[in-house]
Amino acid sequence: MFLGVTAARSFEPNYDEAKIPQYQLPDTLASSDGASITSSQQWESVGRPATLKLFQDHVYGVSPDPVQQNVTVQGKVVSRKDDALGGRAIRRDIDVTVTHNNASLTMQMLVYTPASSQGPVPTFLGLNFQGNHSVDPDPAIRIPDSWMRNRNNGTTDGNRAIEAGRGVAADRWPIETIVGRGYGLATIYYGDIDPDQDDGFQNGIHGLFADWNASADPQTRWGSIAGWAFGLSRALDFLETDAQVDARNVIVIGHSRLGKTALWAGATDPRFAMVISNDSGCGGAALSRRAFGETVGRINQSFPHWFNDRFQDYNENESALPVDQHQLLALIAPRPLCVASATEDRWADPHGEFLSCVHASPVYRLYGVSGIGLASDSVDMPSPEQPLQYGHISYHLRIGKHDLAEYDWLRYLDFADKHLMKR
Ligand code: GCU
């Protein structure tokens, strides 16, 4: 989905594998002194923190530390319906308030849990694009009052969501299927955390940390992806206190820019038990060095606020990046990870997303589990709708366009059943 940002310069994406520049990926298992990392202990003490820092410094930016900054999180149930979805689910609408230095920000979180569940359930946590009221047409669901990108489908007016948006994203959120399989679903409108615009750190979660932003290095300050991921972690802080959610089994999921966000949330917060990147593309699962479809230069031109300022240094200069996106996936090891692409979504470079999984796999092997393959990491790109779900990394290529479809959810549910429900 391209949401109304017009590029100033013309840009011709490359869609030809033969025209991909020669590139060499940074070695995930090389430590800064050149020695090779050979154990999970070494990865956790040396490789992982160094890799995380490279992503903070060169790509997403550094977020405030919630402990050092005395951040507190409180939840208040605003409404509850015990017979939602024809009696299949309990639906709660919860205000989750993040406080720092007497200032606060409230995210509205919609939580569905199976009506039949006897205790805390593993739960998907994902941000949505169009407001909580877009995931289900029930008129009782609140409409967000935070800033929203204007859309030309009649669901916004003056950068605010309106009634007409009820249920418009229901196809992306098959709630009955999710609760029917024994899982919960928690969702938040991403604009409740940070408005998706270049606002110079004034609003949303960035605005809550004005002093901290002022003292931070302007080159490495947190962008919006880091802000949304920070909000996901604060949502998890609340879910840890919620009796209906099994907080040790929270699965962070996101589509597109919110898939990039889910990956960064999973990389920075090891409490997320499983991570799902749906069609996340450039700045998400796709390898930057392939420069196939959307490139670093192009994404920084269209959406400069998503990343830190230093990321601009790599516009048309991907080979100078000290990291590539397979290392982002490696930061999630050994937790189960799903990466998915769609055949018509060449902008997000499906092959580059798959290759990232392949090159992240050696870190999974350090933990004695396999990544994308079973016996080895050299696996061929699978055919459409032939999911690879052998190891701890799942990859599938759906037939169709850039979207989050029921087909994708069914793969994620299968993978979660395999890795989480049996814990
Ligand atoms: C644009 C952008 C992508 C992004 C997508 C989305 O297409 O170029 O990087 O993933 O929007 O979030 O829908």
Side-chain angles (χ1 to χ4, degrees):
M1 175 180 23
F2 188 78
L3 293 177
V5 175
T6 317
R9 283 189 272 138
S10 71
F11 168 77
E12 277 303 322
N14 173 42
Y15 289 130
D16 183 350
E17 286 278 335
K19 292 193 180 135
I20 290 173
Q22 285 281 333
Y23 66 86
Q24 196 179 0
L25 291 178
D27 180 355
T28 320
L29 294 180
S31 55
S32 53
D33 61 6
S36 193
I37 290 169
T38 54
S39 68
S40 58
Q41 290 80 357
Q42 244 185 320
W43 168 251
E44 285 184 14
S45 60
V46 182
R48 192 178 191 287
T51 305
L52 194 59
K53 186 161 183 347
L54 290 175
F55 276 105
Q56 289 170 331
D57 289 351
H58 298 269
V59 185
Y60 303 104
V62 184
S63 302
D65 180 317
V67 176
Q68 278 171 12
Q69 297 297 316
N70 294 318
V71 173
T72 57
V73 175
Q74 268 194 324
K76 184 170 151 243
V77 179
V78 175
S79 74
R80 175 180 170 126
K81 186 169 162 67
D82 286 342
D83 58 351
L85 304 176
R88 292 181 185 85
I90 299 168
R91 188 194 69 222
R92 290 173 300 153
D93 196 346
I94 302 173
D95 274 346
V96 178
T97 301
V98 182
T99 303
H100 170 247
N101 282 352
N102 301 322
S104 61
L105 172 113
T106 296
M107 328 184 260
Q108 300 180 356
M109 180 159 73
L110 199 61
V111 182
Y112 290 87
T113 41
S116 57
S117 67
Q118 299 295 318
V121 287
T123 297
F124 291 87
L125 169 64
L127 302 180
N128 65 70
F129 282 89
Q130 298 195 71
N132 293 347
H133 66 303
S134 72
V135 310
D136 184 86
D138 190 322
I141 300 173
R142 284 184 292 175
I143 297 182
D145 46 24
S146 40
W147 189 92
M148 190 173 284
R149 272 177 185 271
N150 275 334
R151 294 179 177 256
N152 53 14
N153 63 357
T155 60
T156 52
D157 185 15
N159 290 117
R160 293 286 179 271
I162 56 173
E163 285 285 337
R166 288 200 182 280
V168 289
D171 284 356
R172 285 192 175 173
W173 302 93
I175 309 167
E176 286 186 23
T177 305
I178 296 167
V179 296
R181 297 271 297 251
Y183 293 85
L185 172 70
T187 187
I188 297 169
Y189 166 54
Y190 81 133
D192 270 9
I193 303 173
D194 210 46
D196 190 359
Q197 58 169 325
D198 200 355
D199 65 357
F201 292 87
Q202 295 307 302
N203 304 313
I205 199 79
H206 288 128
L208 204 58
F209 293 91
D211 293 355
W212 188 84
N213 295 330
S215 63
D217 176 351
Q219 282 290 298
T220 61
R221 274 190 302 200
W222 51 335
S224 293
I225 290 174
W228 297 321
F230 183 90
L232 283 166
S233 285
R234 304 294 66 81
L236 181 54
D237 293 346
F238 164 71
L239 293 176
E240 284 186 323
T241 68
D242 187 65
Q244 294 183 35
V245 168
D246 174 0
R248 288 166 312 133
N249 279 311
V250 171
I251 305 155
V252 63
I253 178 168
H255 168 63
S256 209
R257 71 197 65 185
L258 301 177
K260 310 179 207 297
T261 301
L263 288 172
W264 186 235
T268 50
D269 192 337
R271 293 175 301 166
F272 288 113
M274 174 170 150
V275 180
I276 300 173
S277 145
N278 192 85
D279 304 359
S280 62
C282 181
L287 293 174
S288 300
R289 280 169 173 73
R290 280 172 48 87
F292 186 101
E294 187 171 32
T295 61
V296 170
R298 173 57 189 232
I299 206 168
N300 278 327
Q301 188 185 336
S302 308
F303 304 101
H305 59 289
W306 287 359
F307 303 92
N308 69 15
D309 283 358
R310 181 168 291 147
F311 196 43
Q312 309 262 356
D313 292 353
Y314 307 104
N315 295 350
E316 283 87 51
N317 187 23
E318 293 86 359
S319 60
L321 264 166
V323 280
D324 211 318
Q325 299 303 108
H326 61 304
Q327 292 164 283
L328 176 65
L329 307 191
L331 291 171
I332 291 156
R335 291 166 287 159
L337 162 69
C338 296
V339 173
S341 319
T343 51
E344 291 168 30
D345 188 18
R346 295 189 307 159
W347 182 243
D349 187 12
H351 193 202
E353 297 193 302
F354 168 74
L355 289 173
S356 251
C357 299
V358 170
H359 294 292
S361 292
V363 177
Y364 278 78
R365 289 196 181 273
L366 291 180
Y367 289 88
V369 298
S370 60
I372 186 87
L374 193 55
S376 90
D377 300 327
S378 50
V379 185
D380 289 335
M381 171 93 177
S383 304
E385 305 202 349
Q386 297 292 320
L388 289 179
Q389 298 201 306
Y390 306 120
H392 281 222
I393 303 180
S394 158
Y395 177 82
H396 73 258
L397 175 63
R398 179 176 44 76
I399 295 171
K401 62 183 174 61
H402 183 69
D403 202 358
L404 173 56
E406 183 155 36
Y407 177 88
D408 300 307
W409 275 101
L410 293 174
R411 304 292 77 73
Y412 304 146
L413 287 161
D414 288 351
F415 205 60
D417 281 357
K418 196 167 157 186
H419 292 280
L420 298 188
M421 296 291 267
K422 288 185 192 151
R423 267 191 191 179

